[in-house]
Each structure stands twice: as structure tokens, then as C-alpha cells.
Amino acid sequence: GNMDPLQRSALSLGGAIKQGYLNSAGKGKRQWFILHEEYLYCFSDDGAKKPKAVFHLVEYTDIEILDESGKRENSNGFKMWSTSPPVGSKTYRPFVCSTNKASERDAWIHALGSTLRSIHDVKAKYSAQSDERLEAIIYVKISDCKLQPPPEGTQRDTYVTVSLDNIQKARTPTIFNSNKPVYLQEYEFPVPHSEETIRIEVKEVKKKKNTTIGQCVINISDLQDQQVRDGWHNLNRVIETTESGGQVFLLWKLSEDKSSVELELLEAIDLRQDPVVSVIYGRHSWKPELPKRKKTSYVWSDQKTTMQVTEDSELSVSFSSGADFLGSVKISHEKLLEFSGESQWWELKRPKIQAVVEEQAEPVGSIKITTHYKEAVILPDKGYESLFVLLFEEDMTLTKRLASVSHQKEKPVAEALVKAFEMRKMAVHYIKEITEMEISETTSASVIFRGNTVATKSVDMYMRLIGMPYLHHCVKDIVKEIWVNGGGCTNGAKKKKSCELDVTRLGELAKGKEEKVLAANLKTLLDYVSRLWKNIRRSLDVCPTTLRNVFHQLQERVIQKFPDDEVCRHTAIGGFIFLRFFCPSLLAAKNFKLLDDHPPPSVSRDLTLVAKILQNLSNLVLFGKKELFMEPCNEWLLKQQPKMRAFLDALSSIPTTPIDEMPSKIDTLFWGREMATLHFYLRESLPQIKETFPNDNITTSLTNILSELDVEVRSATGRTRLKSRAVPLPFSHSSSSSLTFRSSVGSEGIFFFCFFLFAYGCF
């Protein structure tokens, strides 16, 4: 509660995260410690009425395991670094102690590390930015591609990668069986000032190794006039080479009969970033725990796995950090036999794309790309306060006006609004206001929330912002099962099960037994859908309460607007949670982090059929003439419609008793960045707002505030340009948080949602 931490007794601290005896530094005296909320309490014993010291963990940023030095007090010791003295003390000092056992030390480090991480995540999300900064972002759209047919005249399976210099930043889904693939994928990511080129590669999927068909390279310096560029680029042949990405120390031992191998991961050096390791061998895959960092190396402790020996497979050990590929080593069956029982350093290789083979060589095709490089000065948070107040005042009148004039830019405007309001814990209120405006302007129940408006995009964004753990809880296990059963678990694995109901897609193997195959596939499909639908129904209390609050408001307003329409009250909610959340996640499983890679065609087709059934169920409709092959599912749909109505009503109700909802995991947000985006769009829309609402108090206030912000931006531009080359961007890994964990705590990469920022008129 609000009680002074120094007045708490050991017995009054219920619900402790961790408690036990620790040995203090120096004298080695054992004292009772309790980790409770964001405080670590030190007592003389477990019955003490008053703490000897209280450590406020907000002021601690780092944990380190002490080296073994032979001194008893340093055995199993650890240290927490502080930026200020403990509560009630005037002397700054780090927190140093030890345990009797290494397992006890590791348990304390885990508990303290989790608490520190939680505290500093909140601090990073909600603390104000006090410095002005220059941010650069590149927008890339991969539209379509025209490839020269191979000599044999076959169609290709291809995908496209986007890289900054040699670091891959994005990858499109694979388009199968086409020499004129259409990708239609958009990406936005930050551009460090050290990067010089954007490389677009078109790659072909092969059984053994994917190959690069061709590439185009765009110099970032050519984009710095900040104009939109849209056009076709030639694809040129390239030389593929490799470069070193570091080294890894491995040890493996074959069993006596050589049927299995035990692999141990020991150490890695010369890596560019903190790594996540993935091991694949035959049908076996393994992801070791995060390593301990020791100065320039990474060390693993007791990280072993046993795998069945597969003579025709290579052992692949890959290192990555977020979307960046650091390197890999591939070990053949012969080398597994040769080096069994020997610990060995292995070099990690990473792709290095070099020049075109021949300067005058004919292009292998062309690709349509849209690029837009933008820089923006982000002012300190306090610079945007007056603009934010105006957005919120008078029932969010200005916000609604911005939404009404944001045609063709609904998505970036909605994203910036949701994030800006979420940072001030007002997102639910904003969504209620913006959706109520849309409902009031809708004349027909059949089209409610069916368009791409700022209101619908705002709900989409909010569901993804706070609902991803809920989504994963509901669907991830079933999606992984479909992946494995559909042949997606390893390269070349045969498809075990299929959901295909279209007889024209069954292939040669089903000839003469189509009826039997279709019956088996229908059983498989309905089994997947039934279990997925059951998971969703049973996970009602896992859904974030704030999201249910939004749906409650939506359903109430829809009923008020269309009281005689019994269907609309359900389909309006289903149109969000299913059509815009659950179903898209099945169609883009990798983008929603349900799978580690894009699924092959067989798995993608199965997921598509599952999504079709869920979509029709949420729409409360049956399959008809457009998809006759899906009609066998109608009997199941009819039986489930009452359950869907009941579920949507329950989802749209606010819980009356405490529930064990899943905590939302929101990636770090930067309020100033979102406000800078809104500054741009409001200034861009100002003429239209003035024309629609002339001589209006809000319009007058907006004009004045935007003028003041423009002056501040122009003043800050020169200063930020001078220091931008030396100061890391706020969304780079090195400056994302001051919190680091060494040794057994490990470092965790932070994934940032990066959205399109536009320039101010002064550039």
C-alpha cells in the first residue's frame, strides 16, 4: 500500500515475489531478504518488525555475477548496480551479496532480473523524452515482378528480401508457380546514418538451397530529397559470396551405435549483436536458452540436446538477432563422424552480395518498387503537450475532424492516434469516441465497420497492440500442429494430413479415390476448426478487459442505432475480432509471430480453409454457390451459430468478477514520435479543416499551435543534424533501454513497431 517502506515488518509483506536468507558482502552475515513489488527489503531475521534497509529497484539497472576468486564471500555472489543510494541512506553503493548454493543465486537473479525488466519496460514506455532528436525512416513497397523464364520454361517459387547494406530487414511471403509474381508488401524501418544502400533481392525457393535470381541496389543518398519514388528497377545477376559472422565453440558426441548425437553449445565470439541460436538437424529443431555475456564473448551453461542421426542431412547452427541474420555453420554427416568427442571452433558464415557479374549483362527481370525516405525532428515531449490537449478537448472534436479528412492515409493516422492516447492511458476513451462517430454516420447495418476508415483501423491497431498474447493463447498451438501435419516442419517432409476440399486441387495421387480423400480431408479440417473454435470460446477470460470494454461500447451503440437488426449486433463485433484479428493471423502466421517462417503452399492452403470457416461462422452465413466445394461444412456451421452469438455477447460484456486475464505485452512506444506524426498530418490537413470549419475556435487554436511547433522544429533542425551522426537513434538496439543483464540473466532484444514518419516543411 502507501505505507512507508521503512516501517514495514517482515510478517506484513504478503505476496512476496521471492524471500530467503542472503549473505551480505564483507562480513558474510546472513540476513533475511524479501522481494516485494518494486522494493527489496533487508531484515535481521524473518520475524523482524522493521527493515534494516530498503532497496528501491527503480534505481537499479544492472545485475552481474561475481567472478570466483577463492574468497568465501564471493562464491555464488552477485551485484546489482545502482544510480542512487538505498531508501533511508545517504551513501551510494551497489547491492552485493552471495548465497550458499549456485542454484539459490540463480533463483534470486532470475526473480530480481524479471522485476527489473518489468520496471524498466514500464519506464521506457511511459517516461517522457526530454531531448530533441532526428529520426530517419524508409518506406519500401514491393509491388510485382517480371522474371525471365528459366531455360526449361517452368514457373518459379519466389520471394523478395529487403536489406540495409548487408542486414536483412524484411522478407515477403513466397509466391508460388509464377514468373510474374505479385507481392504487394509494405515495410517501414529505421535507417541508421551509417547505412548507405538498400538492397532488394529476388530469391527462388529450391529443395536444397534457395538461390538469388537477381538484385537491385538503391543508394540512400539518392533518396534524401525525401520524394516518393515509384517505378520499375532492373534485376541484375549477382555473385554470392560469404563473410565471417563470428565463431562458435561446439562439442558433440555420437552414441556407440552412431544412431544419435548429443550436441552441446559452449561459447561464441566476434558476434555483432546479442544472439538467439537455432539448431536444425533432420526433423529435430532446438532453441537453446539465451547466453551469458562476458565482455566480448557469449557463454552457455549446460545447453545440450540429443538428436537422431540423419545421414542425408546437415547440422545447421544459426545465429540471429531480431530480424538480423548474424551467421551460421553447416556441418556435414562426414564432419559429425570425424569430430565426434572433440570440442572445436567453427566459423559462422553470412551472405555477402557482391557486384554484378558483367557490367553489360542483360537483366534477369524487373521489379516495381516504391520508396520514400523521410527524416523528422522529434521535439521533447513537453513541446507537444498543447497539441495533445487540443486533440482531447471538447469530446475529441479535433481528433474526429482529422479522422474525417484523412482519406488514403487512414492507417498511419489511426496508428499514431492509438499509440499517442495509449501512452496517456486514454486509448479506450479515444476508440469509443471515434467508433461512435462512425456508427452515427452509418446509414445501413449491412455495411457497418466494413470500410477502411480511421475508426476501423484504430480498433485493428488496438487489438494488435494489446491483444497479441491473447491471440497466441487461442490459436498458436493449433497453427503449429497444422504446420507440422501439413509438411511444414522440415524441408522435404511429406504432407501427413490435408484439409483440401476442392477436388480440382487434389492432384494425381488422389485419382480414382477422390471421394475417400475428400471425406478424410473434411474430417481433418473440421477437427482443426472445432478445436480452434473451442480454444477461443474457453479463452474468454484471457481477453484483455480493455478490449472487452471497447466491444461492449460498440455493441451497445450498434443496438441503439439499429434496434430491429438482430444480426448486426453480433456481426459488428465478429467483424473485428474474427475478420480483422483471428482470421488475418491465420493467413499471415509469420507476421503475427505464430510461426517462425512463412508456411509452404500446403500449410498456407490449410490455414486459409480454416480461416474461411471461421469467417463465415462469425458472419453467421453459410457457404453458397461461390464456393460449392465448402458446402459440406455448412452442417457444422449451423450447429455452431448459436454458440457464436453467445460468445460475441459474452465478449461484449464487462466482467463483473475478477478474472485471470493475460497481461498485455506492448512494445516500447515513443510518445513524441507519434505526436510528431500527428503534427505532420494536422498541418497537411489544415487547409481542408479550415475550409470545412472556418472561423472556429478549435481551428484557430490549431493554427496557432502548429505555427509554434513549426518554429520549434526549424530551430531544432540544425542542432539535431549536427549531432545526429554521433548520437544513436532512440529506436536502435544500443539506446532502447538503459537496462542490461549480464551473465545468467542474458540480454533480450527488443522489437519495435516502426511507423512512417514524415518530414517537416523546413527540410
Side-chain angles (χ1 to χ4, degrees):
N2 296 322
M3 185 176 178
D4 182 353
L6 290 171
Q7 303 303 316
R8 303 294 295 267
S9 71
L11 298 176
S12 71
L13 291 168
I17 300 171
K18 173 78 177 160
Q19 57 186 346
Y21 280 102
L22 293 174
N23 305 318
S24 60
K27 298 179 181 179
K29 186 176 181 181
R30 285 172 63 78
Q31 299 179 98
W32 184 256
F33 284 83
I34 298 179
L35 176 58
H36 183 269
E37 295 178 345
E38 59 185 37
Y39 293 97
L40 179 64
Y41 295 83
C42 172
F43 297 91
S44 57
D45 56 58
D46 58 4
K49 295 183 178 180
K50 191 174 181 180
K52 297 178 66 177
V54 179
F55 302 87
H56 194 191
L57 298 184
V58 169
E59 306 300 338
Y60 287 82
T61 59
D62 198 13
I63 301 179
E64 178 182 9
I65 291 180
L66 297 179
D67 294 333
E68 301 288 346
S69 64
K71 295 182 179 180
R72 181 173 180 177
E73 63 267 24
N74 285 337
S75 298
N76 303 319
F78 63 93
K79 180 187 293 187
M80 262 195 323
W81 293 99
S82 173
T83 57
S84 65
V87 177
S89 171
K90 296 181 179 180
T91 306
Y92 161 84
R93 64 180 185 272
F95 174 82
V96 183
C97 66
S98 63
T99 61
N100 291 340
K101 296 180 181 179
S103 59
E104 292 177 7
R105 176 201 63 196
D106 292 343
W108 271 103
I109 286 178
H110 176 76
L112 288 166
S114 297
T115 304
L116 284 174
R117 188 157 46 243
S118 175
I119 291 170
H120 287 273
D121 279 351
V122 172
K123 189 175 179 181
K125 289 173 193 173
Y126 296 108
S127 61
Q129 296 288 333
S130 58
D131 59 331
E132 57 199 25
R133 56 205 187 274
L134 176 68
E135 298 190 356
I137 279 188
I138 185 72
Y139 164 85
V140 179
K141 180 180 180 180
I142 308 297
S143 297
D144 54 314
C145 188
K146 298 175 182 177
L147 300 172
Q148 290 183 359
E152 58 272 21
T154 56
Q155 301 291 317
R156 289 181 163 115
D157 301 337
T158 61
Y159 62 93
V160 178
T161 62
V162 182
S163 302
L164 284 179
D165 287 350
N166 285 324
I167 304 297
Q168 181 176 311
K169 294 295 183 182
R171 178 199 187 279
T172 70
T174 302
I175 303 299
F176 296 93
N177 200 34
S178 175
N179 289 325
K180 294 183 179 180
V182 178
Y183 301 101
L184 297 178
Q185 297 294 310
E186 300 174 84
Y187 305 102
E188 297 153 358
F189 38 82
V191 182
H193 290 285
S194 59
E195 306 294 353
E196 297 179 353
T197 60
I198 303 168
R199 192 175 72 251
I200 313 292
E201 295 177 82
V202 179
K203 298 194 174 187
E204 183 173 9
V205 178
K206 298 283 191 179
K207 283 187 177 180
K208 291 187 176 180
K209 181 184 177 182
N210 297 346
T211 59
T212 301
I213 298 174
Q215 75 165 17
C216 68
V217 177
I218 301 170
N219 293 320
I220 292 177
S221 59
D222 295 336
L223 307 177
Q224 290 182 345
D225 60 0
Q226 304 188 54
Q227 298 298 312
V228 177
R229 286 174 168 78
D230 184 15
W232 289 88
H233 296 253
N234 286 336
L235 292 169
N236 299 305
R237 291 184 176 88
V238 297
I239 300 173
E240 288 193 55
T241 60
T242 59
E243 62 182 359
S244 177
Q247 296 183 67
V248 59
F249 200 43
L250 300 174
L251 170 65
W252 62 80
K253 297 178 183 178
L254 288 165
S255 61
E256 289 187 8
D257 60 0
K258 297 183 179 180
S259 63
S260 65
V261 58
E262 182 187 72
L263 172 69
E264 183 174 5
L265 179 60
L266 300 171
E267 188 175 358
I269 59 173
D270 300 332
L271 302 179
R272 298 176 59 178
Q273 300 176 57
D274 297 343
V276 173
V277 181
S278 175
V279 175
I280 297 177
Y281 182 51
R283 292 179 177 272
H284 185 92
S285 63
W286 175 53
K287 286 196 174 181
E289 294 180 2
L290 296 174
K292 305 173 185 177
R293 184 169 185 171
K294 290 191 174 180
K295 294 184 179 179
T296 59
S297 68
Y298 296 88
V299 179
W300 287 264
S301 175
D302 196 31
Q303 290 299 292
K304 301 176 183 179
T305 185
T306 301
M307 306 169 286
Q308 292 298 115
V309 170
T310 309
E311 293 188 11
D312 58 351
S313 297
E314 290 181 320
L315 170 65
S316 172
V317 183
S318 300
F319 286 67
S320 61
S321 180
D324 298 341
F325 176 68
L326 303 180
S328 67
V329 58
K330 297 185 184 298
I331 299 165
S332 65
H333 178 68
E334 290 73 19
K335 288 182 179 177
L336 278 177
L337 297 176
E338 181 182 353
F339 293 100
S340 176
E342 299 180 25
S343 53
Q344 184 98 356
W345 284 100
W346 298 86
E347 187 172 17
L348 298 170
K349 294 291 187 180
R350 58 193 305 272
K352 182 179 180 181
I353 306 299
Q354 297 196 345
V356 179
V357 175
E358 295 179 33
E359 211 168 291
Q360 303 299 323
E362 183 180 350
V364 295
S366 58
I367 185 168
K368 189 178 182 184
I369 304 169
T370 304
T371 57
H372 197 180
Y373 174 87
K374 284 294 176 182
E375 290 182 345
V377 170
I378 312 299
L379 298 173
D381 286 0
K382 63 181 181 181
Y384 298 108
E385 288 293 345
S386 58
L387 181 60
F388 183 79
V389 170
L390 191 61
L391 285 166
F392 187 75
E393 280 181 342
E394 299 189 30
D395 298 325
M396 297 190 173
T397 299
L398 176 59
T399 300
K400 295 173 185 176
R401 290 180 183 179
L402 174 61
S404 66
V405 298
S406 295
H407 305 299
Q408 305 301 317
K409 48 196 175 188
E410 292 88 355
K411 182 179 178 182
V413 169
E415 289 173 346
L417 285 168
V418 168
K419 289 184 174 183
F421 282 113
E422 174 64 15
M423 288 287 286
R424 298 301 175 91
K425 301 188 178 181
M426 299 177 183
V428 171
H429 182 74
Y430 155 69
I431 291 173
K432 286 181 176 181
E433 291 286 343
I434 203 73
T435 51
E436 186 166 352
M437 181 184 76
E438 173 135 337
I439 293 170
S440 66
E441 295 174 354
T442 303
T443 57
S444 172
S446 62
V447 298
I448 193 165
F449 297 133
R450 296 294 173 171
N452 288 323
T453 63
V454 171
T456 58
K457 290 295 184 184
S458 293
V459 181
D460 290 356
M461 180 63 208
Y462 191 64
M463 287 192 295
R464 294 197 185 198
L465 192 64
I466 71 161
M468 293 302 283
Y470 166 56
L471 172 76
H472 283 210
H473 179 84
C474 292
V475 307
K476 190 169 185 176
D477 289 345
I478 300 293
V479 169
K480 283 189 173 182
E481 183 181 339
I482 295 173
W483 163 271
V484 172
N485 290 341
C489 55
T490 57
N491 291 332
K494 291 183 179 179
K495 187 175 175 69
K496 300 176 185 177
K497 292 183 179 181
S498 173
C499 299
E500 187 56 70
L501 301 184
D502 187 347
V503 69
T504 64
R505 289 173 173 257
L506 291 180
E508 295 293 323
L509 294 177
K511 275 194 174 181
K513 48 182 179 180
E514 288 87 353
E515 188 174 336
K516 182 179 179 180
V517 171
L518 288 174
N521 291 356
L522 176 62
K523 183 179 178 181
T524 299
L525 175 59
L526 292 181
D527 174 63
Y528 287 148
V529 177
S530 297
R531 288 190 288 124
L532 179 55
W533 171 220
K534 189 176 183 179
N535 280 357
I536 293 172
R537 295 199 315 274
R538 287 185 170 181
S539 302
L540 178 66
D541 285 347
V542 177
C543 181
T545 305
T546 52
L547 199 55
R548 294 179 67 176
N549 193 353
V550 168
F551 292 147
H552 174 72
Q553 163 92 358
L554 289 179
Q555 191 178 68
E556 276 197 343
R557 294 296 179 265
V558 167
I559 292 172
Q560 290 174 10
K561 178 73 174 183
F562 305 104
D564 299 327
D565 195 311
E566 290 294 325
V567 176
C568 183
R569 60 177 291 173
H570 296 118
T571 56
I573 307 304
F576 280 118
I577 195 67
F578 283 95
L579 272 64
R580 294 176 177 269
F581 196 45
F582 285 130
C583 293
S585 75
L586 300 176
L587 302 177
K590 183 178 185 296
N591 294 343
F592 282 79
K593 294 183 170 52
L594 297 173
L595 294 174
D596 294 330
D597 202 356
H598 294 285
S602 57
V603 176
S604 181
R605 176 63 176 171
D606 289 348
L607 290 171
T608 299
L609 294 175
V610 171
K612 282 178 181 290
I613 296 177
L614 276 182
Q615 180 171 323
N616 273 28
L617 179 59
S618 68
N619 283 334
L620 303 175
V621 297
L622 304 178
F623 290 102
K625 294 180 180 179
K626 289 184 179 180
E627 293 178 303
L628 286 173
F629 66 91
M630 295 293 290
E631 282 192 340
C633 303
N634 284 344
E635 183 181 350
W636 183 89
L637 285 170
L638 280 171
K639 290 180 180 178
Q640 300 302 318
Q641 283 181 0
K643 293 180 182 178
M644 174 58 77
R645 291 189 182 94
F647 170 76
L648 294 174
D649 282 337
L651 186 69
S652 305
S653 63
I654 300 175
T656 55
T657 57
I659 61 172
D660 187 22
E661 67 177 278
M662 185 165 287
S664 301
K665 183 179 179 181
I666 301 177
D667 292 285
T668 304
L669 304 178
F670 294 99
W671 189 73
R673 177 186 294 165
E674 310 311 328
M675 291 305 298
T677 304
L678 294 173
H679 174 196
F680 169 79
Y681 282 117
L682 283 164
R683 187 164 49 77
E684 184 182 64
S685 304
L686 186 58
Q688 196 172 350
I689 292 174
K690 282 183 174 180
E691 183 180 345
T692 309
F693 308 99
N695 302 319
D696 177 271
N697 288 338
I698 291 178
T699 302
T700 302
S701 297
L702 175 63
T703 304
N704 294 335
I705 290 172
L706 293 182
S707 297
E708 292 171 2
L709 283 173
D710 289 343
V711 170
E712 290 184 43
V713 167
R714 280 193 291 270
S715 175
T717 299
R719 295 193 298 272
T720 55
R721 284 194 181 281
L722 283 174
K723 64 183 180 181
S724 63
R725 302 289 167 177
V727 179
L729 293 175
F731 39 60
S732 69
H733 179 77
S734 61
S735 60
S736 58
S737 173
S738 62
L739 177 63
T740 58
F741 294 95
R742 293 197 285 256
S743 213
S744 67
V745 178
S747 300
E748 291 190 7
I750 298 176
F751 173 77
F752 296 103
F753 282 93
C754 295
F755 294 98
F756 199 26
L757 294 176
F758 291 85
Y760 297 95
C762 53
F763 288 105

